[in-house]
């Protein structure tokens, strides 16, 4: 075989070999995203309530910070005024002391004048002392208001962060919920696109497992189990017949009266039955669905109606001529 042809065959085999894994992973992502979106949808009212509450907390914190700022500004102004008055008292005391010195030097000496000047000095010194106390008190008050404002500002920052986080959480949830239909369609389309390659892979190599007693290809096992579980939650009991060996397919062809096991078309049998080697049952990718122990052989049944409405979510498509037959390609 030419090297280029061999390389092309190897590439095709690699694509086919990865198809089953990709299909299964795509379906798992779809289910996980569906579950996550449903949870967000349930949580959204509470998330909105939380965002509103955090908004109210932020508004209250802003008011408290604004009030604390106003008190602090007033304390700053008061301190400035008190220290200005203290400075004025100190200047007045200096002038009183100069007046006392002048009174003592004045001739003729006057005890009365000196006594008045001495009294004025004492009064001025007392005023300096009292205003110094008031000034120090204003400083202490300002320090306290600054501490309270810092605490209020810290609470406001925390409230703002909490509100912003809550708002972003709501926005994310709303965006995620809104994008779900588009994401779901994209993942479903991706799985559909892979389905033929999955069949190609299975024709070469596959493995099976059991899901509630039904033998299926491992690629579809998770999706099939999810479908059975969800149907049960909806009150519809589903089961079916999945994998068949080549021998079982030959025996079924014979029992269904096919004119020739190997060449007669499926439609020529009493019950449509694929030629051995062509049935997806032989690779575990098709299931003949049953409900309550009976084959789903009519489209009027509750089980078929549920399947028709929901099976596509799990990657299964009906063969139009057989209400019971579902596979990942519809064949």
């Amino acid at each position: 075989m030419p090297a280029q042809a061999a390389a092309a065959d190897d590439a095709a085999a690699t694509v086919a070999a990865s198809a089953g894994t990709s299909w299964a992973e795509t379906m798992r992502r779809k289910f996980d995203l569906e579950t996550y979106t449903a949870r967000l949808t349930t949580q959204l009212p509470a998330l909105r309530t939380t965002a509103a509450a955090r908004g109210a907390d932020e508004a209250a914190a802003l008011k408290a910070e604004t009030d604390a700022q106003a008190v602090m500004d007033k304390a700053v102004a008061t301190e400035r005024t008190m220290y200005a008055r203290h400075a004025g008292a100190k200047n007045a005391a200096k002038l009183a002391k100069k007046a006392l010195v002048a009174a003592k030097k004045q001739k003729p000496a006057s005890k009365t004048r000196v006594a008045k000047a001495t009294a004025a000095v004492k009064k001025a010194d007392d005023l300096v002392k009292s205003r110094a106390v008031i000034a120090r008190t204003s400083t202490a008050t300002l320090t306290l208001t600054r501490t309270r404002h810092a605490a209020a500002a810290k609470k406001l920052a925390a409230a703002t962060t909490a509100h912003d986080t809550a708002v972003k959480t709501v926005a994310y949830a709303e965006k995620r919920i809104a994008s779900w239909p588009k994401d779901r369609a994209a993942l479903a389309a991706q799985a559909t696109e892979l389905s033929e390659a999955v069949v190609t892979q299975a024709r070469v190599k596959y493995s099976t497992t059991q899901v509630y007693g039904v033998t299926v290809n491992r690629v579809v096992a998770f999706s099939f189990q999810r479908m059975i579980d969800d149907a049960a939650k909806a009150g519809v009991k589903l089961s079916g017949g999945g994998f068949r060996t080549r021998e079982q397919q030959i025996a079924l062809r014979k029992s269904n009266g096919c004119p020739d096991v190997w060449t007669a078309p499926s439609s020529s049998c009493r019950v449509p039955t694929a030629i051995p080697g062509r049935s997806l049952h032989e690779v575990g990718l098709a299931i003949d669905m049953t409900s309550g122990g009976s084959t789903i052989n009519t489209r009027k049944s509750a089980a078929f109606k549920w399947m028709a409405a929901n099976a596509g979510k799990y990657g299964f498509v009906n063969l139009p001529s057989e209400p019971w037959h579902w596979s990942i390609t519809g064949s």
Side-chain angles (χ1 to χ4, degrees), residues 160-233:
T160 299
T161 298
H163 183 217
D164 288 346
T165 299
V167 169
K168 288 177 181 177
T169 300
V170 169
Y172 171 79
E174 291 174 339
K175 182 179 179 180
R176 181 74 273 163
I177 292 168
S179 68
W180 165 235
K182 182 179 179 180
D183 293 340
R184 176 179 57 202
L187 289 169
Q190 185 177 343
T192 298
E193 186 176 352
L194 286 166
S195 60
E196 290 295 344
V198 173
V199 173
T200 299
Q201 166 193 338
R203 297 292 188 197
V204 177
K205 184 179 180 180
Y206 66 90
S207 62
T208 60
T209 187
Q210 284 206 337
V211 176
Y212 300 133
V214 182
T215 302
V216 296
N217 192 302
R218 287 185 182 277
V219 169
V220 300
F222 183 80
S223 288
F224 182 67
Q225 180 176 336
R226 180 73 174 256
M227 183 173 73
I228 298 299
D229 290 342
D230 289 349
K233 292 175 185 177

Side-chain angles (χ1 to χ4, degrees), residues 102-118:
K104 288 179 178 180
K105 290 181 178 180
Q106 188 173 356
K107 301 297 182 179
S110 172
K111 291 182 178 180
T112 301
R113 189 167 46 248
V114 170
K116 286 182 178 180
T118 300

